[in-house]
């Protein structure tokens, strides 16, 4: 993943330098919730992305390649920590097409997760 480090300059900080197959590259998920040098989201288009108050990048869903290399709509949430240059698989399924788990209306729960989607909207 390239990152703008100073005006007009880019630095390669994470991920592969090639696209893999003609279609894309699978994600390397590692252990849920554990940042690691080998973790990286797979190729995708139309994810929701945003940055938090610490400058970390967040990525959710999109149309891409799951852990087994199968294409489809994804439902995982990733965080890229700019201080450590590490990706963390934070939540969601590592396979395409996962159904959502919505729980009880108005009640937060660790097991709640949106279903697979692409071209979703985000706001801060």
């Amino acid at each position: 993943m390239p990152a703008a480090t100073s005006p007009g300059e880019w630095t390669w900080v994470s991920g592969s330098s090639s696209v893999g197959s003609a279609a894309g590259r699978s994600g390397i998920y590692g252990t849920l919730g554990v940042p690691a040098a080998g973790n990286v989201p797979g190729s995708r288009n139309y994810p929701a992305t945003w940055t938090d108050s610490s400058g970390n990048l967040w990525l959710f869903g999109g149309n891409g390649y799951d852990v087994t290399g199968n294409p489809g709509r994804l439902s995982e949430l990733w965080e890229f920590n700019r201080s450590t240059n590490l990706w963390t698989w934070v939540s969601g399924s590592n396979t395409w097409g996962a159904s959502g788990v919505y729980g009880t209306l108005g009640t937060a729960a660790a097991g709640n997760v949106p279903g697979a989607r692409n071209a979703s909207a985000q706001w801060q």
Side-chain angles (χ1 to χ4, degrees):
M1 178 182 139
T5 56
S6 61
E9 297 180 1
W10 289 88
T11 302
W12 176 19
V13 295
S14 175
S16 176
S17 63
S18 68
V19 295
S21 72
R25 186 170 290 282
S26 298
I28 301 171
Y29 289 77
T31 302
L32 186 66
V34 178
N39 292 355
V40 65
S43 302
R44 69 192 64 218
N45 58 16
Y46 307 116
T49 61
W50 62 95
T51 54
D52 63 23
S53 61
S54 297
N56 297 323
L57 171 71
W58 291 81
L59 180 143
F60 173 74
N63 210 24
Y65 295 85
D66 68 11
V67 70
T68 63
N70 291 314
R73 291 186 175 150
L74 303 170
S75 66
E76 84 281 54
L77 176 66
W78 290 87
E79 177 191 19
F80 181 78
N81 184 304
R82 289 187 52 206
S83 298
T84 63
N85 287 342
L86 296 177
W87 284 100
T88 304
W89 170 34
V90 176
S91 179
S93 176
N94 63 359
T95 58
W96 71 275
S99 297
V101 177
Y102 297 97
T104 302
L105 184 64
T107 304
N112 293 354
V113 63
R117 65 196 65 210
N118 69 346
S120 56
Q122 69 276 354
W123 67 91
Q124 292 179 305

